[in-house]
Amino acid sequence: MTVGLWDVAILTELLRQHGKLPDAQTARHVKAQWQWRRRPRALVVNVLSVALHALFAAETKELGLLREACFAYLARGSYFTMHPSGFLSGLLPSPLLLIFHFFSVAFLAVYLRISGSSVAYSGGSLAFRVYSAFYTLYIAAGVILPVIWRELQP
């Protein structure tokens, strides 16, 4: 719904700039501008929604660790909370910043696992914790990168 409302706002602005669309060439130009201006916001909202669904709907230990890291990350306050809220609301359409925050959560999950302070995924020797921590990072990349790739396709 957020993306749809922003689409209407962007298209209204573009149509206001061009006035009446006298020919098909101008209409195609406006459509192309609209598609490129909507892309960052649509990418951020769609990728975030799919990634959060993957984190909160799955029942694997690695995704449980990422879910725990997500709550720990948000509990830090400041921009750790403001930026993700901006992504969800559509007010912060920055795909690179989304990737930064997503992998910050993933590296926090790595830290929680290696340090042994994770509740979701506890136990094991140090070697196993290191292995499972980096496997969790692999799983995190497998959650977000295919979705970003699909969103970037024309």
Side-chain angles (χ1 to χ4, degrees), residues 43 46-48 50-51 54 99 102-103 137-153:
L43 185 141
N46 292 339
V47 167
L48 186 61
V50 171
I99 292 168
F102 186 84
F103 281 103
L137 188 61
Y138 171 76
I139 295 294
V143 166
I144 197 168
L145 295 178
V147 181
I148 290 174
W149 179 254
R150 280 193 307 268
E151 285 291 322
L152 290 176
Q153 299 305 310

Side-chain angles (χ1 to χ4, degrees), residues 47-106:
V47 167
L48 186 61
S49 66
V50 171
L52 287 175
H53 180 267
L55 255 59
F56 290 100
E59 293 298 325
T60 66
K61 286 184 177 183
E62 293 79 20
L63 291 172
L65 179 59
L66 286 167
R67 188 171 38 241
E68 180 183 355
C70 184
F71 286 125
Y73 190 79
L74 292 171
R76 292 173 178 231
S78 185
Y79 75 90
F80 299 103
T81 304
M82 288 187 307
H83 288 172
S85 298
F87 297 141
L88 285 172
S89 67
L91 296 175
L92 189 57
S94 174
L96 291 177
L97 195 57
L98 173 67
I99 292 168
F100 168 78
H101 282 287
F102 186 84
F103 281 103
S104 294
V105 169

Side-chain angles (χ1 to χ4, degrees), residues 14-23 26-27 30:
L14 288 171
L15 291 174
R16 189 174 294 128
Q17 290 173 0
H18 288 280
K20 292 183 179 180
L21 298 177
D23 57 8
T26 307
V30 168

Side-chain angles (χ1 to χ4, degrees), residues 109-138:
V110 167
Y111 169 75
L112 290 174
R113 181 63 183 129
I114 291 174
S115 69
S117 58
S118 170
V119 175
Y121 199 166
S122 59
S125 66
L126 179 62
F128 179 72
R129 288 196 317 258
V130 169
Y131 167 77
S132 62
F134 285 101
Y135 182 67
T136 300
L137 188 61
Y138 171 76

